[in-house]
Amino acid sequence: MAPALDFSAFSSKLHFYLNGTEVTIENPDPDTTVLQYVRSVGLTGTKLGCAEGGCGACTVLVSSYDKATQHIRHLNVNGCLTPLCSVDGKHVITIEGLGNYKNPHPVQERIALCFGSQCGFCTPGIAMSLYALLRTNPTPTEDEIEESFDGNLCRCTGYRPILDAAKSFAVPKATQSKNGAISNGTSTNGASSGGCCGNGGPNGCCKAFDRPTVPQESTSWFPSVQFKKYDPTQELIFPPRLMKKTAEPLYFQGRKTQWFRPTTLDQVLKIKAAFPSAKFIGGNTEVGIETKFKHMNYNPLVYLHDVAELQGISITSDGITIGANVSIANFQKALEEALETVDKHQVPVLRAFLTNIKYFAGHQIRNSASVAGNIATASPISDLNPVFIASNSTFSILSSDQAADSPARVVPATEFFVGYRKTALKPETDILTRIHIPLTRPGEYIRAFKQAKRRDDDIAIVSAAIRVRLSSESKIDEIVFGYGGMAAFTCQAKGTSEYLKGKTWGDKDVLEKALETLDADLPMQISTPGGMPEFRRTLAKSFFVRLWWDLIQQQNMNIAHTHGDLRLLTEEIHRHTSFGSQSDKGTTQNSVTNVVSKSFAAVSALKQTTGEAIYTDDMPKLHKELYGALVLTTRAHAKIVNVDTSAALAHPGVRGYYDHRDVPGINEWGGGVVDDELMFIVDTVHCVGQTIGIIVADTQTIAQEAARMVKVEYQELLPIVTIDEAIAANSFLPFTRTLVKGDVDAAFATCAKTFEGETRIGGQEHFYLETQAVVVNYKGEGEMEILASTQNPNDAMLRVAALLGVNAHKVTCKVKRLGGGFGGKETRTIPLIGALAVAAHHTKRPMRCMLDRNEDMILSGQRNPFKGKWKVGLDENNKLVAVDVQLYVNSGYSADMSPAVMERSIFQFDSVYNFHNVRISGYCCRTNLPSNTAFRGFGSPQSNLITEDMLNQVAEQINMPIDEFRVMNFYKPGELTHHNQELVDWHLPKGYQQLKEKANYDARLEAVKEFNKLSKWRKRGIAFIPTKYGIAFAIPHLNQGGALIHIYHDGSVLLSHGGVEMGQGLHTKMMQVCAEGLQIPMDLIHTVDVSTDRVANTTSTAASVSSDINGMAIKDACDQLNERLAPYRAKGLSWIEIVHQAYFDRVNLSANGFCKIPDVGYDWATNSGQLFSYFTMGTAISEVEVDLLTGTHTVLRTDVNMDLGRSINPAIDIGQIEGAFMQGMGLTTTEEPLWFPDGRLFTQGPGAYKIPGFRCIPQEMNISFFEDVTHDSVKSIYKSKGVGEPPLYLGSSVYFAIRDALRYARKENGCEGPFSLPIPATPERIRMAVGDTIAESSKLVAKPGERPWILKSC
């Protein structure tokens, strides 16, 4: 029996500094994170985005002092994972510690003024990552800046303006050092290109050595602005008192968990002896996720960061020895430094580790996670464990029954991993203390590999490392494989190693047999956990092929081959620093306005960058407020047999449970044309994530714990998940539409050629950074106030009124701002609002809830997946004659917006092409998934993708260049669309030609052809994609807007309108319209929250019409006020004098404006009427380079040219173009929702679902507008055009460029003719479409009854 632990040596006080202020807490709760603490004390600038360290919204700076080196370290970390108890002796700095909107830090100011903040929810975390970089390195290169954001995500901006702002702090890149040293994981041997001015600023490059580092003005099309100079000496100092502080052992006892912070290895061993179940933690990056999402209960926790014996790194002639608790970031730094000191033959092992560390999570995780934690976690997809195996590393282990200075048990990495999450460590006694990595010897080579869905901050699909030792005769003396992602644990291909031993490297027959043996060593089947079995088999072999030819190249072997330039086979794709240009010339031509058509930064941008902008969950806690946690269904299709809430209600701190029995009004509701949903389900479950009830409790933690205690008994039914399953089961919603123009059957009879095919498009998660959040305030007298993150406050108000059985005038809904919406907060916020409203009604107390990321993704629905079956006919000249299409939409379990999405997809199917005779039918498939809903583009992107894919397949079959086929079938001015709307102001052909010339398209097309002759395994592709997008709600009554303007005595103006600000700059634009209308400065105008008690009967902020309807309503109000004030203006008075005299003359200084869009209205029965007010149109060219061996791609260049009429704010609209483009690129490349066959969502957070990151953006991106065009028919506000949705589809130019690259590859591999590349074009789909023998030999055949481990919903 272990001796009792002496607690007297442990302190119970936590001591740290927060933004320069000393903090001491007696016995803090170990389950509290830094994020939870700082928000609880009012520092709400730090946001919760995912709770798994994958988005960076929670980023804070943690500074610490190393007494041994007398060095202060500044690290950005994830506040959502960092335990509060771990910051003892440290200085924590949040966004509030940098500055405020009146006196911002240069980082905050530049991001704001360079348009780097749209919705702003991610901005504080991004600013903190840049701040952390500058605290560590005040003179970073542009490469270092781009890489510093690898742990941050933004869903709005498209990243470019953030990088422009950040690069204003950059200095020129340093020259390459010895052994090609890597700076922060990036090779420094590439030439830097571009910059914020694209090397073409009016006075030369702002980064030139003889110029100041900080540009004094922003680029020419921004308003001229002086940036604050960055002075590193003015930063918050590290508290001197902490420099003197000596780490002491700590012990805290929380509500559920104990916490130890030992300072010696002896203490660690004694704690483990006393508590065999103790869980060791370093950065909490794994345990934090397990406790949050898997609800694991570890007690006690033992924090090892301050144990000196577990730190330290030493390099000797035979290897590197590191303390087990060294962070990944320190390990990386040591490897980079070692490149400068070791002999050349010893470098490969360093490079192998650095290769995979470079893409190991993001900076925040690498700064926190320990090497030992990564090893001991034994993840089967670990990035580093295969390298430890291949390098023949060893691990030193002590047992709790040993003394700290006892000899350690040494276990080779090759024997350490024994099963799924199982190692040679004995969980009750052992601790990993040191890791030894041998340096490579002469004649020895090692290389590491990793393939993921996204290059930066993504988990591996397959990781690998292979070490080989060759004799002087190129015989294989030794070879070791380490693979992650190929089994339930990090494994070795021992059979292949045995086969290769003694064989000759470079022998073709040896390679072929080795690939066969690898298949045998790494068996998989269709249902293998993790999914993608064929791709994983292909990658395992492709990595070896890459190493095979790499060594042939290094050894200068004379081996015949047909691969072309071997460098393009053996090297991975490396991207350069991004740059680009933006020109507003076309959209400001002929503008005669003073405020409109000028580029102003968003009015709240500085408050967003300083963390002072308030979002729903930032609002101060109300008196007697309770927290709500939803009890959600966990089955996709079932009958509810029983719900037992007894354990939950007995949980301390729980105040109640409410379900359908407690609804005082109407429980039925619907998000669209029919009320086919229930706020609280009664007996039948139709998907995972429906609301059964709501638990209310004193705190979020207690409420969520209690919600998990509710026991639900189900009788399970067979679920329908995919479109094909729905078609087979005849499972459809009762909404079908068919649009017919012309005599389609007769037209087909005249066609010279006909073609048939199908196209599939997956769904897309909205992934707004702010999840759904609601505060419901019961105000007494039957009144309810809702503060919500919704795009549709009017509908929320009406639904809550019906739910509670009261009139709408008793309910007010207010929206301050959204942290992103994209359609996902149009209807799907209502179930959360409704549940909280019922609880508030019964308790008579305020209620709050902000969904966790996984909850939000489970229940809120996505973009509708589509399947399109098509038949198209051409005449003898290859002109389009007829098309017959069936569109199948995965609606989920209810209608919501899906019927309207389906209708929009029918209307937009023509894209920019005249098909002449058209029949399109749309079907809404009912499945057992959460109800899919509105998403930016609203069915148009899916429909246009089907159209463009169809044209590509046809062009390949008629052997005509796709560009020629496109252009010859463009609409001409004055022609009618298939819904019989005349095309006026039809400038698409002109804009297409303008971009063709601007982007030098013809020459680049030829250059792509020449490049593709160089290599079998590296191809480029280029695509030129046009679009038109109709602007208006298809339902006429929604095309209305309202506004209210108050002018006060001091001349200030309060503007209210019906549009919700969610990052699109709507408030800023509307203030510009108001300022223009009243002819006053913008700084006299203020907007507050959107509120149903100020502007009634508002339309949802959607469909890209908000500027139109609200802007015209504001203009109407301004016109009324101007008419009243005209006599005073005629006197030549100042604005303040005008207001004063009018007030004293009892003139009404308030005006209620209104707008209804004229002329719109469409009749399905006759296929007639004006469906849209006008069309926004544009074109894009994207060029990509694809690594065919792995499926990785990079976007070399993108050029976008748009017609936005006369933009109200060109800079904001450029931001909308770039952000929408990146969302469209994500839809068609990286973003892939995946489902288990039983209907559960697999992709529940940023760990599994990948939106594009900072280094996914095009390496060069240029934005421009149609020039020399008129807009006589456009009747919108100041002839501006809607911009939010139209550019999204242009992101598909990347997809079609990838498809173009694959076309070249497939032709070389003998795969002639058309091919279908399902969307999104993930690395898996790209690699498996190449048509080479490696991929083909990896194909699997399903066993009878076998199903894939995961499904795509299309």
Side-chain angles (χ1 to χ4, degrees), residues 536-549:
R536 289 153 68 187
R537 283 160 54 91
T538 301
L539 285 174
K541 291 180 287 187
S542 296
F543 290 159
F544 180 60
V545 168
R546 175 155 280 165
L547 176 69
W548 181 269
W549 288 102

Side-chain angles (χ1 to χ4, degrees), residues 628-635 640 643 657-663 667 669 677-695 707 710 712 714 772 803 827-839 849 851 855-856 858-860 893 930-931:
L630 300 179
V631 178
L632 301 173
T633 56
T634 58
R635 304 294 190 275
I640 291 181
V643 178
Y657 168 82
Y658 304 95
D659 61 17
H660 67 92
R661 297 166 296 183
D662 303 296
V663 173
N667 193 32
W669 81 285
E677 298 186 56
L678 299 175
M679 288 286 189
F680 298 97
I681 65 170
V682 178
D683 52 17
T684 304
V685 176
H686 295 291
C687 75
V688 174
Q690 287 183 277
T691 304
I692 298 173
I694 184 170
I695 289 283
V710 175
V712 182
Y714 299 95
Q772 294 183 29
L803 182 70
T827 61
R828 304 318 297 177
T829 50
I830 290 174
L832 177 61
I833 294 170
L836 290 171
V838 168
C849 180
L851 295 180
E855 292 176 313
D856 192 292
I858 286 168
L859 63 84
S860 65
Y893 81 93
S931 189

